[in-house]
Amino acid sequence: MLDLTSVDLLDAFTQELKLCKLKPDEHVVVLSEPTSRGDYVAAAFGAAKACGAHVIAATVPGGNPSPSDSTRTGAGPGLSAVLGDTAAQDLLKAADLVVDLTREGFIHAPLQQEIMRTGTRILFVCDAPDVLIRNLPGPEDKAEVLKGVNLLRSASVMRVTSESGTDLTVELPGSKPEFQVGFADDPGRWDHWPSTMVLCWPRFSEGRIVLSEGDILLPFKEYVRQPVTLEIAGGNIEKVSGGAEAHLLNTFFDDADDEWGRSLSHMGWGLMRTADWFATALYGKEELMGMDARAFAGNFLWSTGPHPVLERESYAHVDIAMRGCTVSVDDQEVVTAGRLVDF
């Protein structure tokens, strides 16, 4: 872990806001809650000023209306203080850029789409300082993720296999290919620093997913210790079998009492070459969002729960990051046995 100072943070946030194409005289809102990191608020505020922007730091009461703590996953609907406050919503809609430093953000809230339709771009930041700086994106990353998005848009099938027994077939038409690149530079864009990945929301998938030792379960932030087999039919998890982690997943799905909890959501592959697979083991669970695991170069990331294409609202959101998979899009391999392929 790096020994960082406030100067390091200010420099990193300044680089980040420049990647977001922040212009002089644009308006920035630094959104926080009482539990947000004060050094992040100061760094974001100072970076916006250094870019010549108008900046307001807005602190709203914390609290997520989700009945269970989603432990920094962004799985809940967002801050109740903003969801029920039109004045706060109007402030965010009036901004050119919102730097969201809250625990949950509005990742799965309809309000976020409403805010972005005004042209506001949103940058979500929720990870440890050295994770942010180690994974600071570059402008060249956007061309790479867009290359993957364009491949998905023109393809029919994605297939995921592994030596452990994974064999999943995914239908791509209508799957709304997307990306995260770590900066929000286009009007109406949401992004997450750090994050470099290609993803989509398939309507249909079929087959088997086998989790191996060392794959990572989020939001639990736990490594798989014993193989887990998930049988997939019609885009739904029909059966989960294996050791302790299988029991953990089954219990989570049952306790969530969510009709979409066992339905597959987004899936894709990571391209963040600076990510550290072992970061999850090196920090306390409250220190990390887990983006090293989610965006690790050559991973296969898949999830359950919310699905914008099928208009499913759900907060039973699980992300599972896997290594060692081969991901092919039609006949083109983009990941071979866990390693990125240049295509």
Side-chain angles (χ1 to χ4, degrees):
M1 300 182 187
L2 300 175
D3 185 15
L4 300 171
T5 68
S6 58
V7 174
D8 296 315
L9 275 179
L10 177 60
D11 179 63
F13 270 84
T14 301
Q15 292 183 60
E16 180 67 23
L17 296 194
K18 288 180 178 178
L19 286 169
C20 292
K21 294 183 179 177
L22 182 62
K23 300 174 184 176
D25 293 328
E26 283 196 308
H27 292 82
V28 177
V29 172
V30 179
L31 181 67
S32 66
E33 57 185 323
T35 56
S36 297
R37 293 186 60 121
D39 52 352
Y40 283 16
V41 174
F45 193 97
K49 290 293 291 180
C51 292
H54 305 284
V55 57
I56 295 173
T59 303
V60 298
N64 188 316
S66 176
S68 59
D69 182 9
S70 51
T71 319
R72 293 182 183 268
T73 67
L79 290 172
S80 55
V82 176
L83 294 175
D85 186 343
T86 56
Q89 294 171 22
D90 289 344
L91 175 65
L92 301 181
K93 291 175 183 178
D96 296 292
L97 176 66
V98 172
V99 182
D100 185 352
L101 304 177
T102 66
R103 281 176 56 99
E104 303 297 340
F106 304 97
I107 298 174
H108 301 296
L111 173 61
Q112 179 164 285
Q113 300 302 317
E114 185 180 326
I115 292 169
M116 293 190 300
R117 280 195 291 271
T118 68
T120 298
R121 51 201 197 272
I122 301 174
L123 179 69
F124 183 54
V125 187
C126 186
D127 247 309
D130 50 320
V131 172
L132 299 181
I133 291 175
R134 171 166 48 79
N135 294 313
L136 190 70
E140 69 281 357
D141 294 330
K142 188 171 182 180
E144 187 173 22
V145 293
L146 286 175
K147 192 175 178 182
V149 168
N150 290 333
L151 181 64
L152 289 175
R153 283 178 180 157
S154 62
S156 299
V157 176
M158 178 165 66
R159 189 176 179 208
V160 185
T161 60
S162 73
E163 289 188 359
S164 301
T166 293
D167 193 346
L168 183 71
T169 300
V170 180
E171 294 187 3
L172 292 174
S175 64
K176 193 185 175 185
E178 255 292 354
F179 67 92
Q180 291 179 20
V181 72
F183 52 88
D185 59 339
D186 295 319
R189 171 81 189 163
W190 175 93
D191 219 300
H192 186 171
W193 172 31
S195 183
T196 313
M197 66 174 75
V198 176
L199 64 150
C200 62
W201 285 269
R203 296 172 178 270
F204 183 85
S205 51
E206 193 91 18
R208 177 184 297 108
I209 298 174
V210 181
L211 308 181
S212 299
E213 292 91 339
D215 290 342
I216 300 177
L217 307 179
L218 302 147
F220 316 111
K221 298 171 186 162
E222 296 282 352
Y223 292 90
V224 173
R225 292 164 291 175
Q226 297 174 300
V228 177
T229 300
L230 303 102
E231 302 292 344
I232 311 299
N236 297 304
I237 300 171
E238 298 295 320
K239 182 179 179 181
V240 183
S241 58
E245 285 73 37
H247 180 67
L248 178 68
L249 287 170
N250 275 318
T251 302
F252 176 85
F253 293 139
D254 289 343
D255 289 351
D257 192 25
D258 187 309
E259 63 176 319
W260 307 120
R262 293 177 183 263
S263 297
L264 270 56
S265 178
H266 65 75
M267 60 182 69
W269 65 95
L271 295 103
M272 196 158 71
R273 293 171 176 82
T274 53
D276 182 357
W277 191 260
F278 301 104
T280 304
L282 299 177
Y283 298 81
K285 292 188 178 185
E286 287 299 311
E287 294 180 272
L288 287 182
M289 179 83 173
M291 295 312 297
D292 277 293
R294 287 179 170 92
F296 185 86
N299 78 356
F300 172 60
L301 179 74
W302 62 277
S303 68
T304 71
H307 198 301
V309 172
L310 297 176
E311 297 183 342
R312 295 194 317 233
E313 289 191 25
S314 169
Y315 303 124
H317 189 56
V318 173
D319 282 333
I320 298 182
M322 302 171 61
R323 290 193 298 179
C325 293
T326 294
V327 181
S328 60
V329 179
D330 283 348
D331 296 323
Q332 174 67 61
E333 289 189 4
V334 295
V335 177
T336 301
R339 295 188 178 276
L340 287 174
V341 174
D342 186 18
F343 61 91

